[in-house]
């Protein structure tokens, strides 16, 4: 716990994996690296040194001239964590010892497979099951002596040569409380009909426990474990389907690559008729088997899959690709290097840390939780709505102006230069800029924003709105010609376009540009109302006032600048303003109540019934599963979760171990602390009862306080500190290099009579054996 980690110091502060930091801090040890002020006495061979904060000494087993030496551990080699190997290890040497030691930590299944069988307790899987079922993160620790290995060999040896025949030490149980933001966010996404999937490198049972606690899986929804087996000499590749609701899981089905191998006469249907909703859960090992031997099942697993555990980085990216092929738009959250592939593959990757994941993802959250996910979705929907609105506005603006020019061309006239400039710069540009300042709506809704500009609704909106504006312009052009004071425009060589026709078309078009900006600036359910956009609201008020001023009673310089010939009667000018208001009401009724209401509903029904493209493939797969009541099939065999863990550990070499955030739960029986992560050291021979038994009262389990606990492996006991420090780790390594040989290393004494391998906690000055 004090040495097997990847922690380093940056500007005097410990930095590294959050769980490694919590684990190391709980030991109450210090870490010194070469080059620091207090370690400049070390030579080039100086390792990273860890030692208790309170001075301690240990009796030397090799150098008789120094009977007592400082209790320090030098880390001379580190094999970094690998998601494929699910473990990390370090080679270290305790000052005064005559040999190097290998310390390993990683997933329990992987570490157990690397340990000597006689050192792994018989109830290992049962104890592991009890903790993982309740959402605790469990890490296994192991140790191995490296006799007759000098410093040079430690730098050249490969991890495969040393990470074998280990001695199992125990389990490190960590409670990573479910963050308070997680469950409300998951609930909010579910209410918005947005699927949530957990893909993690953690243990399957831990993932299932967390999925239920954060409401990713409903309390009454069934979970079917999908367990895949590679083919053997005697049997083809197999898939077993088992319920995961209880400790005893009932197999749902067993599928073979050879169809004839499945006896259909034994197939029964056991899906609860009262609750047809079920989810799949599978591991990376099963994913690899299904992808290779049962690829046709992957779409169904992706559509109904809720938990994907022990997934490697490559498999995470593969899952994202399968979801995208089914027509889903995929967002991915991750905080580690193992998530980079999936973050980059997803449509929207969100990094929950500023480490490697932030490089691969387009979004990085300032807070290390998933609270930002609804914000990203709401902002994305608002942005898409704004983009569509701006596009339709600019398209209609061009068509309106084109209509005005065509009408004036009919009488051989045109808009004046300053008329063009006023429309473009004062009205359209300002409205377009402030149009996009409206924020996203506060809540997620089930309603989906149109995904394509070429879909029926945007095109129909453009056509209807353009038709309304054309009708009002043509109507105004024809109506003014019926007035007794009207004088038709006479073409002239001076290009003087001042006329009643030009003034009427110009003034009514001003209100049309403003009306469409309001109509296309939609609010609920994706954006807030225009009243929340103060700039846009102020802009509308200004351009409406200017347009009304120019239309009703313009100043002489306005008339000369725009080359207007205003109608002689104020009443007619007011009628133009009224016509603009009627134009606005008709446009907003058409857009809000007809297009977004009745027509949108009908278009949606027609699209769902008539269009069966790749975009809706996941709907097709879901319908197939709903219609097929005999899938997945069921037989009468029984199995338990312990066997599942054993099967999982048998194929750990091809699995991954990934740290993901927001994936642990808080047990009600654990007293509250100020720490985010709590560490426990537990003997595999223990069988605590959950959740009724308080962990603090367990005789085999003791909380490791993150503030004042001193945690270490007690191998031989410690004499009273002598205060002497005759030599250091670096000196000790140098002496070992100069020695021609090594005495026979002694076997470590058992911690307790009977050879039970457990941890001992030292809290303050009191030693408590668990």
């Amino acid at each position: 716990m004090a040495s097997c980690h990847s922690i380093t110091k940056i500007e005097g502060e410990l930095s590294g994996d959050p769980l490694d930091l919590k684990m190391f801090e709980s030991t109450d040890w210090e870490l010194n690296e070469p080059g620091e002020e207090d370690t400049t006495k070390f030579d080039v061979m100086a390792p990273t040194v860890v030692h208790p904060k309170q001075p301690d000494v240990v009796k030397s087993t090799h150098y008789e001239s120094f009977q007592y030496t400082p209790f320090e551990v030098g880390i001379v080699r580190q094999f970094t964590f690998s998601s494929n190997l699910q473990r990390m290890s370090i080679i270290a040497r305790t000052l005064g010892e005559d040999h190097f030691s290998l310390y390993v930590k990683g997933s329990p299944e992987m570490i157990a497979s690397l340990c000597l069988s006689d050192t792994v307790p018989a109830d290992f899987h049962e104890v592991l099951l009890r903790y993982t079922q309740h959402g605790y993160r469990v890490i296994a620790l192991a140790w191995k002596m490296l006799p007759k290995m000098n410093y040079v060999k430690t730098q050249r040896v490969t991890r495969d040569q040393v990470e074998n025949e280990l001695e199992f030490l125990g389990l490190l149980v960590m409670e990573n409380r479910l963050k308070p933001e997680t469950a409300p966010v998951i609930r909010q996404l579910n209410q918005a009909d947005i699927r949530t999937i957990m893909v993690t490198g953690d243990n399957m049972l831990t993932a299932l426990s967390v999925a239920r606690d954060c409401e990713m899986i409903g309390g009454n929804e069934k979970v079917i474990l999908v367990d895949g087996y590679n083919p053997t000499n005697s049997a083809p590749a197999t898939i077993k389907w088992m319920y995961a609701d209880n400790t005893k899981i009932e197999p749902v089905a067993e599928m073979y690559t050879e169809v004839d191998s499945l006896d259909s006469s034994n197939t029964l249907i056991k899906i609860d008729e009262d609750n047809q909703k079920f989810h799949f859960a599978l591991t990376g090992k099963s994913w690899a088997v299904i992808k290779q031997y049962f690829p046709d099942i992957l779409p169904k697993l992706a559509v109904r899959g809720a938990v994907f555990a022990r997934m490697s980085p490559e498999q995470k990216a593969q899952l994202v690709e399968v979801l995208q092929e089914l027509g889903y738009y995929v967002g991915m959250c991750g905080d580690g290097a193992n998530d980079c592939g999936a973050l980059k593959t997803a449509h929207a990757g969100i990094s929950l840390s500023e480490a490697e994941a932030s490089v691969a993802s387009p979004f990085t959250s300032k807070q290390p939780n998933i609270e930002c996910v609804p914000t990203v979705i709401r902002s994305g929907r608002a942005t898409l709505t704004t983009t569509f609105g701006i596009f339709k506005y600019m398209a209609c603006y061009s068509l309106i102006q084109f209509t005005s020019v065509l009408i004036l061309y009919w009488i051989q006239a045109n808009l004046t230069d300053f008329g063009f400039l006023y429309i473009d710069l004062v009205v359209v540009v300002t409205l377009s800029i402030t149009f996009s300042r409206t924020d996203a709506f506060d809540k997620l809704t089930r309603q989906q924003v149109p995904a394509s500009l070429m879909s029926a609704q945007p095109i129909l909106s453009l056509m209807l709105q353009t038709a309304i504006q054309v009708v009002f312009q043509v109507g105004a052009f024809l109506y003014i010609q019926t007035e007794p004071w009207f004088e038709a425009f006479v073409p002239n060589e001076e290009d003087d376009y001042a006329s009643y026709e030009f003034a009427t078309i110009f003034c009514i078009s001003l209100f049309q540009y403003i009306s469409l900006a309001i109509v296309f600036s939609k609010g609920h359910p994706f954006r807030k109302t225009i009243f929340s956009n103060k700039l846009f609201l102020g802009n509308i008020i200004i351009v409406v006032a200017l347009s009304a001023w120019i239309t009703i009673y313009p100043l002489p310089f306005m008339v000369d600048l725009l080359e207007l010939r205003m109608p002689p009667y104020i009443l007619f000018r007011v009628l133009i303003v009224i016509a603009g208001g009627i134009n606005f009401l008709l446009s907003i009724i058409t857009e809000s109540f007809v297009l977004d209401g009745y027509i949108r509903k009908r278009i949606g029904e027609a699209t769902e019934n008539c269009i069966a493209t790749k975009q809706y493939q996941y709907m097709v797969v879901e319908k197939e599963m709903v219609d097929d009541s005999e899938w997945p099939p069921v037989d009468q065999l029984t199995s338990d979760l312990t066997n599942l863990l054993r099967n999982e550990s048998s194929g750990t070499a091809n699995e991954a171990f990934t740290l993901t955030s927001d994936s642990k739960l808080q047990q009600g029986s654990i007293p509250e602390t100020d720490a985010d992560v709590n560490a426990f050291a537990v003997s595999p021979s223990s069988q605590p009862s959950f959740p009724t038994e308080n962990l603090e009262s367990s005789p085999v389990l003791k909380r490791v306080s993150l503030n004042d606990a001193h945690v270490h492996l007690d191998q031989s006991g410690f004499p009273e500190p002598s205060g002497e420090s005759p030599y250091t780790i670096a000196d000790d390594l140098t002496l070992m290099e100069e020695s021609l040989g090594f005495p026979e290393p002694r076997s470590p004494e058992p911690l307790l009579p009977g050879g039970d391998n457990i941890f001992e906690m030292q809290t303050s000055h009191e030693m408590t054996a668990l």
Side-chain angles (χ1 to χ4, degrees), residues 198-223:
M198 180 184 295
V199 52
T200 176
D202 214 335
N203 181 279
M204 169 61 76
L205 303 182
T206 300
L208 286 174
S209 175
V210 174
R212 287 202 179 276
D213 282 317
C214 69
E215 302 179 21
M216 191 174 289
I217 299 176
N220 297 325
E221 297 174 348
K222 289 188 174 293
V223 176

Short mmCIF file of all heavy atoms in Angstrom, two decimals, residues 198-223:
data_model
loop_
_atom_site.label_atom_id
_atom_site.label_comp_id
_atom_site.label_asym_id
_atom_site.label_seq_id
_atom_site.Cartn_x
_atom_site.Cartn_y
_atom_site.Cartn_z
N MET A 198 -23.38 1.76 -18.60
CA MET A 198 -22.13 1.76 -17.83
C MET A 198 -21.12 0.85 -18.53
O MET A 198 -21.38 -0.34 -18.74
CB MET A 198 -22.36 1.25 -16.40
CG MET A 198 -21.09 1.22 -15.57
SD MET A 198 -21.33 0.51 -13.93
CE MET A 198 -22.43 1.73 -13.22
N VAL A 199 -20.00 1.40 -18.91
CA VAL A 199 -18.90 0.62 -19.47
C VAL A 199 -17.68 0.88 -18.61
O VAL A 199 -17.24 2.03 -18.48
CB VAL A 199 -18.65 0.95 -20.96
CG1 VAL A 199 -18.49 2.45 -21.18
CG2 VAL A 199 -17.45 0.21 -21.50
N THR A 200 -17.16 -0.15 -17.99
CA THR A 200 -16.14 0.02 -16.98
C THR A 200 -15.15 -1.14 -17.02
O THR A 200 -15.45 -2.20 -17.60
CB THR A 200 -16.77 0.10 -15.58
OG1 THR A 200 -15.76 0.16 -14.59
CG2 THR A 200 -17.64 -1.11 -15.31
N GLY A 201 -14.02 -0.95 -16.42
CA GLY A 201 -13.05 -2.02 -16.26
C GLY A 201 -13.18 -2.70 -14.94
O GLY A 201 -12.41 -3.61 -14.63
N ASP A 202 -14.15 -2.31 -14.14
CA ASP A 202 -14.30 -2.85 -12.80
C ASP A 202 -15.03 -4.19 -12.83
O ASP A 202 -15.50 -4.66 -13.87
CB ASP A 202 -15.07 -1.85 -11.93
CG ASP A 202 -14.59 -1.88 -10.50
OD1 ASP A 202 -14.05 -2.92 -10.07
OD2 ASP A 202 -14.76 -0.87 -9.79
N ASN A 203 -15.14 -4.79 -11.64
CA ASN A 203 -15.78 -6.07 -11.47
C ASN A 203 -17.26 -5.99 -11.85
O ASN A 203 -17.92 -4.98 -11.63
CB ASN A 203 -15.62 -6.51 -10.01
CG ASN A 203 -16.23 -7.86 -9.73
OD1 ASN A 203 -17.43 -7.96 -9.54
ND2 ASN A 203 -15.40 -8.88 -9.71
N MET A 204 -17.79 -7.07 -12.42
CA MET A 204 -19.17 -7.09 -12.87
C MET A 204 -20.15 -6.84 -11.73
O MET A 204 -21.10 -6.06 -11.86
CB MET A 204 -19.48 -8.44 -13.53
CG MET A 204 -20.95 -8.68 -13.81
SD MET A 204 -21.68 -7.47 -14.93
CE MET A 204 -21.01 -8.06 -16.49
N LEU A 205 -19.94 -7.51 -10.59
CA LEU A 205 -20.91 -7.38 -9.50
C LEU A 205 -20.87 -5.98 -8.90
O LEU A 205 -21.90 -5.44 -8.49
CB LEU A 205 -20.63 -8.44 -8.45
CG LEU A 205 -20.65 -9.88 -8.97
CD1 LEU A 205 -20.41 -10.87 -7.85
CD2 LEU A 205 -21.98 -10.17 -9.65
N THR A 206 -19.68 -5.40 -8.82
CA THR A 206 -19.59 -4.01 -8.37
C THR A 206 -20.35 -3.09 -9.31
O THR A 206 -21.09 -2.20 -8.89
CB THR A 206 -18.12 -3.58 -8.28
OG1 THR A 206 -17.43 -4.41 -7.36
CG2 THR A 206 -18.00 -2.13 -7.83
N ALA A 207 -20.17 -3.30 -10.61
CA ALA A 207 -20.84 -2.47 -11.60
C ALA A 207 -22.35 -2.62 -11.51
O ALA A 207 -23.09 -1.64 -11.60
CB ALA A 207 -20.35 -2.83 -13.00
N LEU A 208 -22.84 -3.85 -11.31
CA LEU A 208 -24.28 -4.06 -11.20
C LEU A 208 -24.85 -3.38 -9.96
O LEU A 208 -25.94 -2.79 -10.00
CB LEU A 208 -24.59 -5.56 -11.15
CG LEU A 208 -24.45 -6.33 -12.47
CD1 LEU A 208 -24.63 -7.82 -12.23
CD2 LEU A 208 -25.45 -5.83 -13.50
N SER A 209 -24.13 -3.48 -8.86
CA SER A 209 -24.58 -2.84 -7.63
C SER A 209 -24.69 -1.33 -7.80
O SER A 209 -25.67 -0.70 -7.41
CB SER A 209 -23.64 -3.18 -6.48
OG SER A 209 -23.98 -2.48 -5.32
N VAL A 210 -23.68 -0.76 -8.43
CA VAL A 210 -23.68 0.69 -8.64
C VAL A 210 -24.78 1.09 -9.62
O VAL A 210 -25.45 2.12 -9.44
CB VAL A 210 -22.30 1.15 -9.14
CG1 VAL A 210 -22.32 2.61 -9.52
CG2 VAL A 210 -21.24 0.88 -8.10
N ALA A 211 -24.98 0.28 -10.66
CA ALA A 211 -26.00 0.60 -11.66
C ALA A 211 -27.39 0.67 -11.03
O ALA A 211 -28.21 1.51 -11.40
CB ALA A 211 -25.97 -0.44 -12.78
N ARG A 212 -27.65 -0.21 -10.08
CA ARG A 212 -28.96 -0.17 -9.41
C ARG A 212 -29.05 1.01 -8.45
O ARG A 212 -30.10 1.65 -8.35
CB ARG A 212 -29.19 -1.48 -8.65
CG ARG A 212 -29.49 -2.66 -9.56
CD ARG A 212 -30.22 -3.75 -8.83
NE ARG A 212 -30.53 -4.89 -9.69
CZ ARG A 212 -31.58 -4.96 -10.49
NH1 ARG A 212 -32.41 -3.93 -10.56
NH2 ARG A 212 -31.80 -6.03 -11.22
N ASP A 213 -27.95 1.31 -7.75
CA ASP A 213 -28.00 2.40 -6.78
C ASP A 213 -28.13 3.77 -7.45
O ASP A 213 -28.71 4.68 -6.87
CB ASP A 213 -26.76 2.37 -5.89
CG ASP A 213 -26.87 1.30 -4.81
OD1 ASP A 213 -27.95 1.18 -4.21
OD2 ASP A 213 -25.90 0.60 -4.58
N CYS A 214 -27.56 3.93 -8.61
CA CYS A 214 -27.67 5.22 -9.30
C CYS A 214 -28.87 5.25 -10.25
O CYS A 214 -29.00 6.19 -11.04
CB CYS A 214 -26.39 5.54 -10.06
SG CYS A 214 -26.06 4.49 -11.48
N GLU A 215 -29.72 4.20 -10.18
CA GLU A 215 -30.96 4.13 -10.93
C GLU A 215 -30.75 3.99 -12.43
O GLU A 215 -31.64 4.29 -13.23
CB GLU A 215 -31.86 5.34 -10.63
CG GLU A 215 -32.21 5.48 -9.16
CD GLU A 215 -33.08 6.69 -8.88
OE1 GLU A 215 -33.73 7.17 -9.82
OE2 GLU A 215 -33.10 7.14 -7.73
N MET A 216 -29.58 3.54 -12.82
CA MET A 216 -29.36 3.21 -14.22
C MET A 216 -30.18 1.98 -14.61
O MET A 216 -30.62 1.84 -15.75
CB MET A 216 -27.87 2.96 -14.47
CG MET A 216 -27.48 2.86 -15.92
SD MET A 216 -25.70 2.73 -16.15
CE MET A 216 -25.20 4.40 -15.70
N ILE A 217 -30.35 1.09 -13.62
CA ILE A 217 -31.23 -0.07 -13.77
C ILE A 217 -32.33 0.08 -12.73
O ILE A 217 -32.05 0.25 -11.54
CB ILE A 217 -30.47 -1.39 -13.56
CG1 ILE A 217 -29.36 -1.54 -14.61
CG2 ILE A 217 -31.42 -2.58 -13.63
CD1 ILE A 217 -28.51 -2.76 -14.42
N GLY A 218 -33.57 0.02 -13.16
CA GLY A 218 -34.69 0.18 -12.25
C GLY A 218 -34.79 -0.94 -11.23
O GLY A 218 -34.31 -2.06 -11.45
N GLY A 219 -35.42 -0.64 -10.12
CA GLY A 219 -35.52 -1.64 -9.06
C GLY A 219 -36.27 -2.88 -9.47
O GLY A 219 -35.99 -3.98 -8.98
N ASN A 220 -37.24 -2.77 -10.37
CA ASN A 220 -38.05 -3.91 -10.79
C ASN A 220 -37.60 -4.48 -12.14
O ASN A 220 -38.24 -5.40 -12.66
CB ASN A 220 -39.52 -3.51 -10.88
CG ASN A 220 -40.08 -3.11 -9.54
OD1 ASN A 220 -39.71 -3.67 -8.51
ND2 ASN A 220 -40.95 -2.12 -9.54
N GLU A 221 -36.54 -3.95 -12.69
CA GLU A 221 -36.07 -4.42 -13.99
C GLU A 221 -35.07 -5.56 -13.80
O GLU A 221 -34.18 -5.48 -12.96
CB GLU A 221 -35.43 -3.27 -14.77
CG GLU A 221 -36.41 -2.17 -15.10
CD GLU A 221 -35.75 -0.97 -15.75
OE1 GLU A 221 -34.51 -0.90 -15.75
OE2 GLU A 221 -36.49 -0.10 -16.23
N LYS A 222 -35.23 -6.59 -14.61
CA LYS A 222 -34.36 -7.75 -14.50
C LYS A 222 -33.05 -7.52 -15.27
O LYS A 222 -33.01 -6.80 -16.26
CB LYS A 222 -35.06 -8.99 -15.04
CG LYS A 222 -36.20 -9.48 -14.14
CD LYS A 222 -36.73 -10.81 -14.62
CE LYS A 222 -37.76 -11.34 -13.63
NZ LYS A 222 -37.15 -11.70 -12.34
N VAL A 223 -32.00 -8.18 -14.78
CA VAL A 223 -30.69 -8.12 -15.42
C VAL A 223 -30.29 -9.53 -15.80
O VAL A 223 -30.35 -10.46 -14.97
CB VAL A 223 -29.63 -7.51 -14.50
CG1 VAL A 223 -28.26 -7.54 -15.16
CG2 VAL A 223 -30.00 -6.07 -14.15
#
